[in-house]
Amino acid sequence: MECCPNNRKKIVIAVDGFSSCGKSTFAREIAARLGYIFIDTGAMYRAVTLCGLRAGVVSPQGIDRAGLEALLDGIDISFRFNPARGASDIYVNGECVEREIRSIEVSGCVSAVSGVAEVRRRLVALQQAMGRDKGIVMDGRDIGTVVFPDAELKIFMTADPSVRARRRYDELRARGERVTMEEVEENIRSRDIADQSRAISPLRRAEDAVVLDNSRMTVADQMEWVLGRLREMGVCE
Ligand code: DC
């Protein structure tokens, strides 16, 4: 249910943090409450990774950078609201790839792809254009630091690695993916290291971001917390 009448000031909300912290679930819920646009930027890096895998320029063994960069002009990314899911699906050149981008294969290669400067340059420009009119909740790794350094509210999410692994494992199994807990833990561990140590736009908390550790919080707890902040800011009632 929306709690933000149209005459309220619209802001940009940046949600950054570690993988499998529930950032997208949380950010989507905030957007629904405020009547804002929600953008999952991880899905955009995943979509480029999927295109690279399909074209044979990305593999678990490495990336053909020149080949990947040559593909970028032909990748048109958009989001379309899916009423059945109550959320937006991501499309590449008109094809819905919402399911394909969540596979363990894409997860295994996306950190390397997101470390390619030209990929970041293009996706950041697209993200900034999406948020030009404010009224947006965007989740990712560099939203509060690079994409919207002037965002009015920046949230940095974290949770115990074991809690994150369990959440991701349950999500993948529910979708019928044949993964083991060990694979999921290893994927989370290696992505944490890659996200924090990459040369361009590494994952870090913006100085003015508020930290939300949701290891022992439900989505309802998290919403109560954020709505309190938004009320203090005069963004919602
Ligand atoms: O949020 P996610 O797990 O779906 O993100 C997939 C990958 O994309 C993650 O390993 C890091 C990268 N990413 C990024 O580098 N910058 C963003 N703004 C969002 C995601």
Side-chain angles (χ1 to χ4, degrees):
M1 189 185 49
E2 286 184 23
C3 62
C4 173
N6 288 337
N7 58 358
R8 291 255 168 187
K9 70 171 178 184
K10 289 202 167 192
I11 65 166
V12 171
I13 302 176
V15 181
D16 289 304
F18 292 95
S19 60
S20 303
C21 266
K23 292 188 300 296
S24 297
T25 306
F26 181 51
R28 184 182 302 119
E29 183 67 25
I30 299 171
R33 288 291 191 101
L34 298 180
Y36 279 19
I37 293 165
F38 160 64
I39 300 292
D40 168 3
T41 61
M44 299 169 76
Y45 289 94
R46 286 171 177 274
V48 171
T49 304
L50 178 69
C51 294
L53 281 162
R54 285 178 173 176
V57 296
V58 170
S59 78
Q61 283 69 48
I63 296 176
D64 163 5
R65 259 169 205 261
L68 180 61
E69 287 177 13
L71 279 188
L72 295 175
D73 270 341
I75 302 178
D76 176 52
I77 295 178
S78 59
F79 290 89
R80 289 185 213 164
F81 189 72
N82 175 349
R85 234 168 40 89
S88 291
D89 290 336
I90 188 164
Y91 284 72
V92 171
N93 300 332
E95 177 195 353
C96 179
V97 292
E98 187 59 43
R99 183 184 168 82
E100 290 80 353
I101 62 163
R102 311 282 167 196
S103 70
I104 197 92
E105 197 190 7
V106 170
S107 296
C109 296
V110 65
S111 279
V113 170
S114 64
V116 175
E118 187 57 17
V119 171
R120 298 205 77 82
R121 196 183 66 76
R122 302 235 185 173
L123 293 186
V124 167
L126 196 55
Q127 291 153 12
Q128 288 172 334
M130 290 168 168
R132 202 168 286 141
D133 297 330
K134 301 201 176 208
I136 193 163
V137 188
M138 198 171 270
D139 90 86
R141 304 293 190 287
D142 59 344
I143 311 305
T145 52
V146 175
V147 182
F148 294 118
D150 297 327
E152 289 85 350
L153 178 60
K154 299 180 186 178
I155 300 168
F156 188 84
M157 288 179 73
T158 182
D160 293 344
S162 58
V163 174
R164 293 192 277 137
R166 164 57 61 184
R167 287 177 186 159
R168 185 65 127 200
Y169 176 81
D170 289 346
E171 189 185 304
L172 289 168
R173 296 296 287 217
R175 283 213 314 268
E177 295 251 355
R178 297 165 65 88
V179 287
T180 64
M181 193 63 169
E182 289 69 34
E183 280 177 303
V184 176
E185 280 172 350
E186 176 45 33
N187 178 251
I188 285 185
R189 209 171 7 251
S190 60
R191 279 206 291 152
D192 280 359
I193 294 169
D195 288 351
Q196 289 175 288
S197 61
R198 70 166 168 247
I200 323 154
S201 310
L203 170 65
R204 64 177 177 81
R205 180 176 78 82
E207 274 176 19
D208 50 350
V210 282
V211 176
L212 175 63
D213 181 335
N214 70 3
S215 305
R216 273 160 279 279
M217 288 171 89
T218 63
V219 175
D221 295 336
Q222 295 169 63
M223 286 311 296
E224 199 176 313
W225 175 86
V226 75
L227 287 174
R229 290 199 162 257
L230 291 167
R231 281 186 201 107
E232 281 168 21
M233 294 172 72
V235 174
C236 71
E237 287 171 349

mmCIF file of all heavy atoms in Angstrom, residues 170-198:
data_model
loop_
_atom_site.group_PDB
_atom_site.id
_atom_site.type_symbol
_atom_site.label_atom_id
_atom_site.label_comp_id
_atom_site.label_asym_id
_atom_site.label_seq_id
_atom_site.Cartn_x
_atom_site.Cartn_y
_atom_site.Cartn_z
ATOM 1 N N ASP A 170 17.964 -21.488 -0.420
ATOM 2 C CA ASP A 170 16.512 -21.731 -0.405
ATOM 3 C C ASP A 170 15.863 -21.171 -1.667
ATOM 4 O O ASP A 170 14.983 -21.806 -2.268
ATOM 5 C CB ASP A 170 15.863 -21.094 0.832
ATOM 6 C CG ASP A 170 16.235 -21.841 2.114
ATOM 7 O OD1 ASP A 170 16.758 -22.969 2.025
ATOM 8 O OD2 ASP A 170 16.026 -21.270 3.207
ATOM 9 N N GLU A 171 16.325 -19.977 -2.085
ATOM 10 C CA GLU A 171 15.774 -19.322 -3.277
ATOM 11 C C GLU A 171 16.059 -20.163 -4.532
ATOM 12 O O GLU A 171 15.160 -20.412 -5.350
ATOM 13 C CB GLU A 171 16.452 -17.960 -3.375
ATOM 14 C CG GLU A 171 15.922 -16.991 -4.389
ATOM 15 C CD GLU A 171 16.819 -15.740 -4.416
ATOM 16 O OE1 GLU A 171 17.015 -15.112 -3.361
ATOM 17 O OE2 GLU A 171 17.348 -15.437 -5.506
ATOM 18 N N LEU A 172 17.304 -20.623 -4.654
ATOM 19 C CA LEU A 172 17.681 -21.405 -5.838
ATOM 20 C C LEU A 172 16.970 -22.754 -5.863
ATOM 21 O O LEU A 172 16.467 -23.197 -6.897
ATOM 22 C CB LEU A 172 19.207 -21.608 -5.878
ATOM 23 C CG LEU A 172 20.031 -20.360 -6.200
ATOM 24 C CD1 LEU A 172 21.511 -20.586 -5.919
ATOM 25 C CD2 LEU A 172 19.842 -19.941 -7.656
ATOM 26 N N ARG A 173 16.904 -23.418 -4.716
ATOM 27 C CA ARG A 173 16.229 -24.725 -4.653
ATOM 28 C C ARG A 173 14.745 -24.584 -4.961
ATOM 29 O O ARG A 173 14.161 -25.427 -5.637
ATOM 30 C CB ARG A 173 16.418 -25.362 -3.264
ATOM 31 C CG ARG A 173 17.850 -25.693 -2.932
ATOM 32 C CD ARG A 173 18.432 -26.742 -3.850
ATOM 33 N NE ARG A 173 17.909 -28.060 -3.582
ATOM 34 C CZ ARG A 173 18.621 -29.193 -3.649
ATOM 35 N NH1 ARG A 173 19.900 -29.151 -3.970
ATOM 36 N NH2 ARG A 173 18.081 -30.353 -3.413
ATOM 37 N N ALA A 174 14.144 -23.503 -4.466
ATOM 38 C CA ALA A 174 12.711 -23.285 -4.715
ATOM 39 C C ALA A 174 12.447 -23.142 -6.211
ATOM 40 O O ALA A 174 11.363 -23.458 -6.696
ATOM 41 C CB ALA A 174 12.236 -22.033 -3.972
ATOM 42 N N ARG A 175 13.459 -22.666 -6.927
ATOM 43 C CA ARG A 175 13.302 -22.508 -8.376
ATOM 44 C C ARG A 175 13.733 -23.761 -9.128
ATOM 45 O O ARG A 175 13.770 -23.776 -10.360
ATOM 46 C CB ARG A 175 14.142 -21.323 -8.857
ATOM 47 C CG ARG A 175 13.512 -19.979 -8.550
ATOM 48 C CD ARG A 175 13.860 -18.998 -9.654
ATOM 49 N NE ARG A 175 15.272 -19.083 -9.988
ATOM 50 C CZ ARG A 175 16.219 -18.332 -9.440
ATOM 51 N NH1 ARG A 175 15.884 -17.450 -8.538
ATOM 52 N NH2 ARG A 175 17.476 -18.457 -9.791
ATOM 53 N N GLY A 176 14.100 -24.808 -8.391
ATOM 54 C CA GLY A 176 14.437 -26.082 -9.022
ATOM 55 C C GLY A 176 15.888 -26.209 -9.450
ATOM 56 O O GLY A 176 16.257 -27.147 -10.156
ATOM 57 N N GLU A 177 16.749 -25.267 -9.039
ATOM 58 C CA GLU A 177 18.179 -25.349 -9.408
ATOM 59 C C GLU A 177 18.847 -26.427 -8.552
ATOM 60 O O GLU A 177 18.620 -26.501 -7.341
ATOM 61 C CB GLU A 177 18.875 -24.001 -9.165
ATOM 62 C CG GLU A 177 18.359 -22.904 -10.053
ATOM 63 C CD GLU A 177 19.375 -22.486 -11.119
ATOM 64 O OE1 GLU A 177 20.512 -22.980 -11.113
ATOM 65 O OE2 GLU A 177 18.989 -21.660 -11.949
ATOM 66 N N ARG A 178 19.683 -27.258 -9.202
ATOM 67 C CA ARG A 178 20.356 -28.338 -8.467
ATOM 68 C C ARG A 178 21.706 -27.846 -7.962
ATOM 69 O O ARG A 178 22.734 -28.038 -8.605
ATOM 70 C CB ARG A 178 20.543 -29.538 -9.390
ATOM 71 C CG ARG A 178 19.214 -30.114 -9.848
ATOM 72 C CD ARG A 178 19.424 -31.032 -11.026
ATOM 73 N NE ARG A 178 20.215 -32.196 -10.662
ATOM 74 C CZ ARG A 178 19.711 -33.315 -10.174
ATOM 75 N NH1 ARG A 178 18.406 -33.417 -10.007
ATOM 76 N NH2 ARG A 178 20.483 -34.332 -9.858
ATOM 77 N N VAL A 179 21.684 -27.155 -6.834
ATOM 78 C CA VAL A 179 22.935 -26.651 -6.257
ATOM 79 C C VAL A 179 23.123 -27.224 -4.865
ATOM 80 O O VAL A 179 22.158 -27.638 -4.212
ATOM 81 C CB VAL A 179 22.931 -25.106 -6.115
ATOM 82 C CG1 VAL A 179 23.071 -24.432 -7.450
ATOM 83 C CG2 VAL A 179 21.700 -24.616 -5.379
ATOM 84 N N THR A 180 24.378 -27.237 -4.412
ATOM 85 C CA THR A 180 24.643 -27.669 -3.035
ATOM 86 C C THR A 180 24.908 -26.426 -2.193
ATOM 87 O O THR A 180 25.245 -25.359 -2.723
ATOM 88 C CB THR A 180 25.894 -28.577 -2.964
ATOM 89 O OG1 THR A 180 27.032 -27.792 -3.360
ATOM 90 C CG2 THR A 180 25.751 -29.791 -3.871
ATOM 91 N N MET A 181 24.771 -26.585 -0.887
ATOM 92 C CA MET A 181 25.037 -25.490 0.043
ATOM 93 C C MET A 181 26.494 -25.034 -0.104
ATOM 94 O O MET A 181 26.778 -23.838 -0.050
ATOM 95 C CB MET A 181 24.766 -25.986 1.467
ATOM 96 C CG MET A 181 24.699 -24.896 2.472
ATOM 97 S SD MET A 181 23.326 -23.767 2.123
ATOM 98 C CE MET A 181 23.333 -22.848 3.604
ATOM 99 N N GLU A 182 27.390 -26.001 -0.336
ATOM 100 C CA GLU A 182 28.820 -25.668 -0.471
ATOM 101 C C GLU A 182 29.048 -24.756 -1.683
ATOM 102 O O GLU A 182 29.809 -23.797 -1.617
ATOM 103 C CB GLU A 182 29.679 -26.939 -0.623
ATOM 104 C CG GLU A 182 29.799 -27.778 0.641
ATOM 105 C CD GLU A 182 28.481 -28.447 1.029
ATOM 106 O OE1 GLU A 182 27.704 -28.831 0.130
ATOM 107 O OE2 GLU A 182 28.216 -28.564 2.249
ATOM 108 N N GLU A 183 28.369 -25.068 -2.791
ATOM 109 C CA GLU A 183 28.522 -24.237 -3.997
ATOM 110 C C GLU A 183 28.051 -22.804 -3.723
ATOM 111 O O GLU A 183 28.678 -21.841 -4.138
ATOM 112 C CB GLU A 183 27.684 -24.807 -5.150
ATOM 113 C CG GLU A 183 28.305 -25.969 -5.869
ATOM 114 C CD GLU A 183 27.348 -26.511 -6.940
ATOM 115 O OE1 GLU A 183 26.210 -26.889 -6.588
ATOM 116 O OE2 GLU A 183 27.739 -26.521 -8.104
ATOM 117 N N VAL A 184 26.910 -22.700 -3.038
ATOM 118 C CA VAL A 184 26.342 -21.387 -2.764
ATOM 119 C C VAL A 184 27.264 -20.609 -1.825
ATOM 120 O O VAL A 184 27.560 -19.426 -2.048
ATOM 121 C CB VAL A 184 24.920 -21.512 -2.157
ATOM 122 C CG1 VAL A 184 24.372 -20.146 -1.773
ATOM 123 C CG2 VAL A 184 23.983 -22.184 -3.147
ATOM 124 N N GLU A 185 27.773 -21.283 -0.787
ATOM 125 C CA GLU A 185 28.678 -20.602 0.161
ATOM 126 C C GLU A 185 29.930 -20.116 -0.558
ATOM 127 O O GLU A 185 30.390 -18.998 -0.331
ATOM 128 C CB GLU A 185 29.075 -21.556 1.302
ATOM 129 C CG GLU A 185 27.998 -21.662 2.354
ATOM 130 C CD GLU A 185 28.263 -22.740 3.389
ATOM 131 O OE1 GLU A 185 29.202 -23.551 3.194
ATOM 132 O OE2 GLU A 185 27.536 -22.783 4.383
ATOM 133 N N GLU A 186 30.451 -20.968 -1.430
ATOM 134 C CA GLU A 186 31.668 -20.600 -2.152
ATOM 135 C C GLU A 186 31.401 -19.418 -3.085
ATOM 136 O O GLU A 186 32.213 -18.494 -3.191
ATOM 137 C CB GLU A 186 32.184 -21.824 -2.940
ATOM 138 C CG GLU A 186 33.393 -21.579 -3.812
ATOM 139 C CD GLU A 186 34.498 -20.770 -3.114
ATOM 140 O OE1 GLU A 186 34.674 -20.889 -1.886
ATOM 141 O OE2 GLU A 186 35.177 -19.974 -3.818
ATOM 142 N N ASN A 187 30.239 -19.431 -3.742
ATOM 143 C CA ASN A 187 29.890 -18.337 -4.650
ATOM 144 C C ASN A 187 29.769 -17.019 -3.871
ATOM 145 O O ASN A 187 30.254 -15.971 -4.315
ATOM 146 C CB ASN A 187 28.588 -18.667 -5.382
ATOM 147 C CG ASN A 187 28.148 -17.556 -6.313
ATOM 148 O OD1 ASN A 187 27.181 -16.872 -6.044
ATOM 149 N ND2 ASN A 187 28.886 -17.341 -7.391
ATOM 150 N N ILE A 188 29.151 -17.062 -2.712
ATOM 151 C CA ILE A 188 28.988 -15.842 -1.909
ATOM 152 C C ILE A 188 30.349 -15.338 -1.421
ATOM 153 O O ILE A 188 30.657 -14.146 -1.496
ATOM 154 C CB ILE A 188 28.012 -16.097 -0.736
ATOM 155 C CG1 ILE A 188 26.587 -16.144 -1.293
ATOM 156 C CG2 ILE A 188 28.143 -15.036 0.355
ATOM 157 C CD1 ILE A 188 25.504 -16.261 -0.269
ATOM 158 N N ARG A 189 31.186 -16.293 -0.967
ATOM 159 C CA ARG A 189 32.521 -15.922 -0.475
ATOM 160 C C ARG A 189 33.337 -15.250 -1.589
ATOM 161 O O ARG A 189 33.909 -14.189 -1.387
ATOM 162 C CB ARG A 189 33.241 -17.196 0.014
ATOM 163 C CG ARG A 189 34.235 -16.920 1.107
ATOM 164 C CD ARG A 189 34.813 -18.174 1.761
ATOM 165 N NE ARG A 189 34.493 -19.436 1.180
ATOM 166 C CZ ARG A 189 33.681 -20.345 1.733
ATOM 167 N NH1 ARG A 189 33.084 -20.084 2.861
ATOM 168 N NH2 ARG A 189 33.457 -21.503 1.135
ATOM 169 N N SER A 190 33.344 -15.877 -2.745
ATOM 170 C CA SER A 190 34.189 -15.325 -3.813
ATOM 171 C C SER A 190 33.618 -14.003 -4.336
ATOM 172 O O SER A 190 34.355 -13.094 -4.687
ATOM 173 C CB SER A 190 34.386 -16.341 -4.942
ATOM 174 O OG SER A 190 33.151 -16.674 -5.483
ATOM 175 N N ARG A 191 32.286 -13.865 -4.331
ATOM 176 C CA ARG A 191 31.711 -12.592 -4.800
ATOM 177 C C ARG A 191 31.970 -11.462 -3.804
ATOM 178 O O ARG A 191 32.210 -10.325 -4.188
ATOM 179 C CB ARG A 191 30.222 -12.747 -5.083
ATOM 180 C CG ARG A 191 30.016 -13.385 -6.448
ATOM 181 C CD ARG A 191 28.720 -13.026 -7.072
ATOM 182 N NE ARG A 191 27.614 -13.628 -6.363
ATOM 183 C CZ ARG A 191 26.404 -13.102 -6.328
ATOM 184 N NH1 ARG A 191 26.157 -11.969 -6.917
ATOM 185 N NH2 ARG A 191 25.437 -13.720 -5.703
ATOM 186 N N ASP A 192 31.944 -11.784 -2.499
ATOM 187 C CA ASP A 192 32.261 -10.758 -1.488
ATOM 188 C C ASP A 192 33.664 -10.214 -1.738
ATOM 189 O O ASP A 192 33.895 -9.007 -1.737
ATOM 190 C CB ASP A 192 32.234 -11.357 -0.071
ATOM 191 C CG ASP A 192 30.824 -11.485 0.487
ATOM 192 O OD1 ASP A 192 29.875 -11.088 -0.211
ATOM 193 O OD2 ASP A 192 30.686 -11.982 1.627
ATOM 194 N N ILE A 193 34.608 -11.141 -1.965
ATOM 195 C CA ILE A 193 36.006 -10.731 -2.168
ATOM 196 C C ILE A 193 36.115 -9.921 -3.460
ATOM 197 O O ILE A 193 36.691 -8.834 -3.480
ATOM 198 C CB ILE A 193 36.944 -11.968 -2.206
ATOM 199 C CG1 ILE A 193 36.953 -12.632 -0.830
ATOM 200 C CG2 ILE A 193 38.355 -11.571 -2.628
ATOM 201 C CD1 ILE A 193 37.606 -13.993 -0.789
ATOM 202 N N ALA A 194 35.517 -10.443 -4.533
ATOM 203 C CA ALA A 194 35.610 -9.750 -5.827
ATOM 204 C C ALA A 194 34.950 -8.370 -5.763
ATOM 205 O O ALA A 194 35.497 -7.380 -6.247
ATOM 206 C CB ALA A 194 34.960 -10.598 -6.919
ATOM 207 N N ASP A 195 33.776 -8.279 -5.135
ATOM 208 C CA ASP A 195 33.050 -7.006 -5.074
ATOM 209 C C ASP A 195 33.830 -5.949 -4.300
ATOM 210 O O ASP A 195 33.830 -4.771 -4.645
ATOM 211 C CB ASP A 195 31.672 -7.187 -4.408
ATOM 212 C CG ASP A 195 30.680 -7.937 -5.293
ATOM 213 O OD1 ASP A 195 30.992 -8.164 -6.484
ATOM 214 O OD2 ASP A 195 29.609 -8.307 -4.785
ATOM 215 N N GLN A 196 34.515 -6.395 -3.216
ATOM 216 C CA GLN A 196 35.213 -5.433 -2.363
ATOM 217 C C GLN A 196 36.602 -5.069 -2.881
ATOM 218 O O GLN A 196 37.147 -4.040 -2.506
ATOM 219 C CB GLN A 196 35.361 -5.998 -0.942
ATOM 220 C CG GLN A 196 34.043 -6.048 -0.192
ATOM 221 C CD GLN A 196 34.217 -6.715 1.148
ATOM 222 O OE1 GLN A 196 34.406 -7.919 1.266
ATOM 223 N NE2 GLN A 196 34.195 -5.922 2.187
ATOM 224 N N SER A 197 37.159 -5.949 -3.703
ATOM 225 C CA SER A 197 38.556 -5.720 -4.091
ATOM 226 C C SER A 197 38.725 -5.278 -5.537
ATOM 227 O O SER A 197 39.840 -5.061 -5.976
ATOM 228 C CB SER A 197 39.378 -6.979 -3.825
ATOM 229 O OG SER A 197 38.858 -8.029 -4.610
ATOM 230 N N ARG A 198 37.634 -5.146 -6.291
ATOM 231 C CA ARG A 198 37.835 -4.782 -7.695
ATOM 232 C C ARG A 198 38.339 -3.334 -7.784
ATOM 233 O O ARG A 198 38.055 -2.490 -6.913
ATOM 234 C CB ARG A 198 36.569 -4.991 -8.518
ATOM 235 C CG ARG A 198 35.501 -4.046 -8.228
ATOM 236 C CD ARG A 198 34.404 -4.068 -9.295
ATOM 237 N NE ARG A 198 33.292 -3.330 -8.762
ATOM 238 C CZ ARG A 198 32.122 -3.872 -8.436
ATOM 239 N NH1 ARG A 198 31.891 -5.131 -8.632
ATOM 240 N NH2 ARG A 198 31.181 -3.120 -7.913
#
